[in-house]
Each structure stands twice: as C-alpha cells, then as structure tokens.
Amino acid sequence: MLPFTYAIRNLFRSKTRLAQTIGGSALVVLLVMTAVAVNTGMKRVLSASGSPHNVILIGAGSEESIQRSEVADRTAGIAEAGVPGISQHLGVRAVSSEIHYMNYLTLDDGRRGQALFRGVTHQALRVHPEVRVIEGNFPAAGEIMVGELAWRKLGMPEEALKTGTGVELDGQKMRVSGIFAAPGTVLESEVWATLGDLRVLAKRDTVSCIAIRLDNPADFEEAELFTKQRLDLELSALKESDYYARLTAFFKPLRAMTWITAGLIAAGALFGGINTLYAAFASRVREMATLQAIGFGKGSLLLSLIQESTLACLIGTLVASVIALLLLDGLTIPFSIGAFTLEISPAVALTGIATGVLLGLVGTLPPAIRCLKPALPTALRSS
Amino acid sequence: MKPLHLILAASCLLVSCGEKETTTPATTASASAPSSELQAVFAASPKGEAKLIHIARTTAKPGDEVTLSGRVIGTESPFVGGRAAFTLGDPTILKACNENPDDKCETPWDSCCNTKEEKLVALATVQVVGADGRVLKQEIEGVNGLKKLGTVTVTGKVAEGSSPDSLVVNATAIQVQ
C-alpha cells in the first residue's frame, strides 16, 4: 500500500491542475447545493403555507385559481351557520372572507413591483394564526400591512416598505400601517389591505374565497357536504393544504429545471475534469510502472490515484460549502406567488459532500484505469 | 470506460436525487361494508311515480315526500367523500359531455357542457341521514352499484332548510337502475 503522504505530495506537483480540479469541483458542488436548497426551500414554504385545519370555499370551477374565483358575500354567514366543527374563540367562529388580487404597488419615488394583495377583515387572524403583527397596526381603510418578505417579492430594498411609508395602489394613495410575520409561509410575501378597500380597487362585489378554520381536520367532509347541500351558492371546498400541494405540483417543472441545469453543468465539468486527468495521468504511466516494478500492486496504485483526486475534489467541496454558507444561506428568492429563503441545512451540506466524493471517484476511475492498463514492459518503456 | 458509461452513471446520480412521491390512494368506492341504516335505504323500494327534478323543486317544501329520478351527475365530484350524499341531476337537462358526438371528455359527470343556470334548476342533493338527523358518515359511492352517471330513483323527505334554489332530499329509498 502506498503511503497517504504520497497522494498528498502528488497533489502539488502541478499547481495549475490542482487549481483547475478544485475550481471545477467547487463549481459543481455549489450548483448541486444550490439546486437542493432551491428545491427544498420552495417545497418547504409551499407545504408550510397550507394548514390542514383550514378549508377554502371557492367558486365552483375556479379550483385552479383563487384570484379568478367569485363567491357571494353572504356565503360567509351561511357557511358559519352551516358547517359544523368550525374553531371558536370567545364565541366568535373562525370564518374569513378574503379577496386575492394581484397588482402593482408603486412607491412615492416611482418604483413599482407586483405583489399578491389579500383583502381581509380582522377575522383573517383567527383563520391564519401563524400571522403576527410585528410592527405597527393591522390595516384600516386606506392602509396596507406588508409581509416581512414582501420587499423581496416586490423587488425593492427592505427599508422601502417601512411603517408609515406612502404607497400607491391602482392610483389610490395608501400608507403602510405595519409589518407582519408568518414564518416559513408564502403569506409573508403578501400585502394585506382591508376587504372594503380591495373590493373597491378590484371593482368586484364578490369575494375570492371564504377561509374557514376547523378544530379537527377530519371535519373537512362537513365543509364538502355543505357545498353540496347549498348548490345554489356554487361552491367548491378545498383543503388549504391541498391547494398549496397543487401549487407545489405546478412548480415542479421549475424545480426540475434547476436540477437539469445543475446536471448539465456538472456533466460538463465532470468530462472536463476527466479530460484533464487523462492528460495528467498519461504522463505518469512510467512512474506507475516503476512503482509496480518495485512491488506495489495495481490496486494500491489505483487507490493512491483516487485518494489524490478525491482530496482535490474535497478541497473544492470545502470551498463550495464556505461560499454557500456565506452567500446562499438566508438568501431570499422571489417566485410568482411569494418568496422563500434558502437554507444550507445539514442535508444540503451532506449532498454537497457526497457530490464531491462522487466527483473524485467517478472522475478518476477512467483515466486511472487507462494509466494502469499497459503491460509492465510497455509501460516502463513509455515516454 | 466509455463516455456512454459515464453518462449513464451521471444519469443514475441525478435520478437518485429525485424526491419520492407519496401518493394517497383515491377513495372511489365504499371503503367498508355499508351500515344497516344505509342498507335499509337501498333495500326499500321507491314509492309512486318519479318526478323530474326541475319540476319537483318548484313545489317541494321541507317535510314533503318526493320521488325523483335522475343521474349521479352535475359536479366534478358528485359524491361527498366520507358522507352518504351525492348530487342527482335531471337527465332531461343535464348531459354527460362524452355523449355528444366527437366529445372525449374525461370527466363527463361534471356536466361541463351545461350552463350554470341549467345546473341550478336541474340538480338536487340526495343524502341519507341517521337517527340523529345527521348525514351518515359513510361513503355511498359503490354501494349497490351506485356510481357516477348511474341512473337512480330516490324517494325521500325534503330536508329542513331545503329551498327551490337548493333542493335537498333525505332519502328513504334508493333504487339503482
């Protein structure tokens, strides 16, 4: 068996090649870690956004888009009386009429960005208990309350949406009344206004949906039964968690694209690395033959070459991990219905390490085998 | 090693990173044996002559006994999951879309070829209630061959809260044809 120090010393024989290997593997590992972080981040935020306790009553036929849905305003009162199992606090049932409205928000300085507006009453806080007003107040008429990550979705600096800031929505001057948090959900990227204001701005006399919070998620069938017993209201009942699960499925191609991009670049880097190693190992055929001649087996030599290459790839992995922790961890990424935060979790870090090890193994084997393949007399005579 | 082998190996790596789907089996039929209350409703015979839903709804009042004939149709999911209830449609108004020439609709029971107004006048809700007056917590789909687009004759009492806009019948007899 060749000593481990032999592999380490060989690493520094060509500093250019070492830099190439480290750089290439760092790029691949960073891409894979980004792809995993994006995928898990988007899935996490969408799955956390839908509570299994919540049911959404939307217009029949509008199951794919709450924004298109039209539900009669009186439905909230009828559902409150007709659906058993609704959560109650101090005798008030958790039923919230909401308008979902996508539009542009303009700042006083002219900057504008698109956001999802939710027209609500105070009842929304009973149905979405994860929402906490962390600064300022719940909006009154002429005011909006912004989610903690709304600035990212709007593509504005964080300080642009401070409490008290003047904004414009559909030509209507409004004021930011406060900021709310809803950790880990897409709600944090939304802008909330009063139901009355959005009804006027969206020019509608209906609401988008009625959100209901149930004590027991198993009572969803009661809400579904209600929609069948009141066919005149033309409703469809959806579990909030199912709605966001559908959105997760909708974004699947986008997540697949991150994998495909990472895969293609990784394949390019892998073949580039293999090419470099073919050239590097080709010049060491005689060296390997000499080591065989003094008694080292082909297995030991192969192991030493793998050690050498894997070490370089692991240094690249380390570099990629440091970059990921410094630049990616906590980075907020906007997407069409909100924003999510990248997290370099232990799972992401382990995936990066596994990628680095695999790069070292897969990238070394073909050139190493080729280097050790020639018969000893031929190899000793090679130049 | 040939490049093809490398590509295959890289593909395997990527495939192994994909998430595993967790699927919940769809409930399409009665998961357990029907209760005696439900069986009794299917064992009973409808009384009198069946009326068309769009006619019956205009005169039916809560407590009246009515006999209706129609098809299990009218919504994307005409059966209520976990409850003994379904929507019954007037076959003279509501059509299964795939019965139109050259229409290959995959969910013909949702009557997507009919207008909202037609659905409003042609639909009734049929439910089976227990002794406590609540709808039975049991799937009715699949019981005695009851299925989407199936033709059914139902006798029952018009439920409390039912109105001409939304006819609800507490079934005492269901006959699947």
Side-chain angles (χ1 to χ4, degrees):
Chain A
M1 194 77 134
L2 280 163
F4 187 57
T5 48
Y6 177 78
I8 295 174
R9 281 201 309 273
N10 272 323
L11 262 184
F12 299 99
R13 277 166 61 166
S14 167
K15 294 202 170 46
T16 315
R17 185 168 61 83
L18 179 66
Q20 272 181 340
T21 314
I22 291 174
S25 56
L27 178 70
V28 172
V29 171
L30 189 62
L31 275 167
V32 171
M33 287 174 84
T34 309
V36 177
V38 166
N39 273 279
T40 51
M42 193 185 280
K43 277 182 79 177
R44 188 179 56 240
V45 77
L46 286 172
S47 58
S49 299
S51 166
H53 286 271
N54 286 3
V55 177
I56 311 171
L57 299 181
I58 58 173
S62 302
E63 289 83 354
E64 301 301 324
S65 167
I66 289 182
Q67 288 168 61
R68 280 196 295 121
S69 161
E70 302 239 0
V71 176
D73 220 358
R74 64 193 171 105
T75 307
I78 300 170
E80 197 176 325
V83 179
I86 297 177
S87 296
Q88 281 193 48
H89 187 61
L90 298 174
V92 182
R93 291 186 166 194
V95 177
S96 165
S97 296
E98 299 179 356
I99 292 177
H100 293 224
Y101 179 54
M102 188 72 89
N103 207 336
Y104 285 92
L105 185 77
T106 311
L107 294 183
D108 282 345
D109 61 9
R111 280 179 293 180
R112 68 200 299 255
Q114 197 179 41
L116 178 68
F117 293 84
R118 195 184 285 239
V120 290
T121 63
H122 284 93
Q123 282 288 86
L125 296 176
R126 296 181 189 279
V127 177
H128 307 288
E130 67 276 24
V131 171
R132 294 273 181 273
V133 181
I134 55 171
E135 192 185 304
N137 306 305
F138 195 82
E143 292 180 334
I144 57 165
M145 179 171 73
V146 296
E148 217 176 2
L149 296 178
W151 60 273
R152 190 70 183 88
K153 174 76 182 80
L154 286 156
M156 294 172 180
E158 196 171 357
E159 59 277 7
L161 290 173
K162 281 192 298 191
T163 305
T165 310
V167 293
E168 205 173 287
L169 173 60
D170 265 352
Q172 184 73 40
K173 294 272 184 199
M174 300 185 99
R175 178 184 154 274
V176 178
S177 70
I179 296 170
F180 69 91
T185 70
V186 290
L187 271 69
E188 277 196 316
S189 311
E190 293 180 356
V191 177
W192 284 19
T194 64
L195 189 66
D197 277 355
L198 274 203
R199 188 178 281 131
V200 173
L201 291 168
K203 298 178 185 70
R204 58 189 297 168
D205 51 11
T206 57
V207 294
S208 306
C209 66
I210 309 293
I212 295 172
R213 188 163 185 87
L214 301 171
D215 280 326
N216 183 359
D219 279 340
F220 167 73
E221 279 86 3
E222 296 292 351
E224 200 186 353
L225 180 63
F226 168 76
T227 63
K228 293 287 190 290
Q229 289 172 329
R230 291 303 306 260
L231 292 168
D232 55 323
L233 297 174
E234 299 174 66
L235 294 173
S236 194
L238 271 182
K239 285 180 187 170
E240 196 181 51
S241 49
D242 285 353
Y243 178 73
Y244 284 102
R246 283 188 196 189
L247 285 179
T248 309
F250 177 77
F251 286 110
K252 209 172 176 181
L254 184 71
R255 288 185 284 122
M257 280 305 292
T258 62
W259 277 116
I260 291 168
T261 309
L264 286 174
I265 296 174
L270 184 69
F271 287 119
I274 289 173
N275 207 25
T276 310
L277 285 178
Y278 266 123
F281 289 171
S283 63
R284 291 170 65 183
V285 173
R286 190 192 279 180
E287 174 194 333
M288 292 294 126
T290 310
L291 288 168
Q292 281 182 69
I294 59 175
F296 291 103
K298 279 188 177 177
S300 306
L301 298 175
L302 180 67
L303 187 66
S304 179
L305 290 173
I306 289 173
Q307 281 173 349
E308 188 183 321
S309 186
T310 306
L311 267 175
C313 287
L314 285 176
I315 295 170
T317 304
L318 191 65
V319 172
S321 302
V322 171
I323 293 171
L325 277 172
L326 292 177
L327 301 180
L328 296 181
D329 197 33
L331 187 72
T332 312
I333 307 280
F335 67 121
S336 64
I337 60 158
F340 62 91
T341 306
L342 292 186
E343 188 189 339
I344 304 301
S345 61
V348 176
L350 279 175
T351 311
I353 293 168
T355 308
V357 171
L358 281 171
L359 276 177
L361 289 174
V362 177
T364 316
L365 277 176
I369 290 169
R370 191 177 176 191
C371 173
L372 297 170
K373 206 173 179 182
L376 196 54
T378 318
L380 282 170
R381 279 198 296 272
S382 70
S383 56
Chain B
M1 192 181 279
K2 291 177 181 172
L4 181 65
H5 296 155
L6 286 172
I7 292 167
L8 284 173
S11 307
C12 289
L13 282 177
L14 287 174
V15 168
S16 67
C17 293
E19 73 256 29
K20 284 183 180 137
E21 293 284 339
T22 50
T23 51
T24 310
T27 312
T28 53
S30 184
S32 56
S35 65
S36 56
E37 284 168 305
L38 200 53
Q39 281 176 334
V41 171
F42 280 92
S45 298
K47 296 175 193 167
E49 194 181 340
K51 287 183 179 174
L52 294 171
I53 292 168
H54 78 276
I55 294 170
R57 67 184 308 130
T58 55
T59 54
K61 294 181 184 64
D64 289 355
E65 188 171 76
V66 290
T67 298
L68 306 170
S69 182
R71 295 176 84 181
V72 182
I73 198 170
T75 64
E76 198 179 334
S77 47
F79 291 99
V80 179
R83 297 291 185 276
F86 60 92
T87 54
L88 190 68
D90 191 327
T92 61
I93 297 175
L94 299 184
K95 303 286 178 198
C97 308
N98 64 344
E99 289 166 4
N100 294 326
D102 301 326
D103 193 327
K104 293 184 173 58
C105 179
E106 288 179 2
T107 53
W109 50 84
D110 63 6
S111 304
C112 56
C113 308
N114 289 97
T115 63
K116 280 185 179 182
E117 291 72 26
E118 284 173 331
K119 285 185 193 178
L120 275 178
V121 297
L123 277 177
T125 304
V126 177
Q127 56 189 27
V128 182
V129 297
D132 59 356
R134 307 277 304 268
V135 178
L136 295 179
K137 291 186 174 181
Q138 193 171 12
E139 296 267 348
I140 198 169
E141 186 176 12
V143 178
N144 266 35
L146 186 65
K147 61 182 183 184
K148 289 167 187 151
L149 297 179
T151 301
V152 181
T153 304
V154 176
T155 294
K157 286 198 168 172
V158 178
E160 285 299 319
S162 175
S163 69
D165 290 333
S166 185
L167 179 61
V168 183
V169 176
N170 291 336
T172 51
I174 298 176
Q175 188 179 64
V176 181
Q177 285 154 15

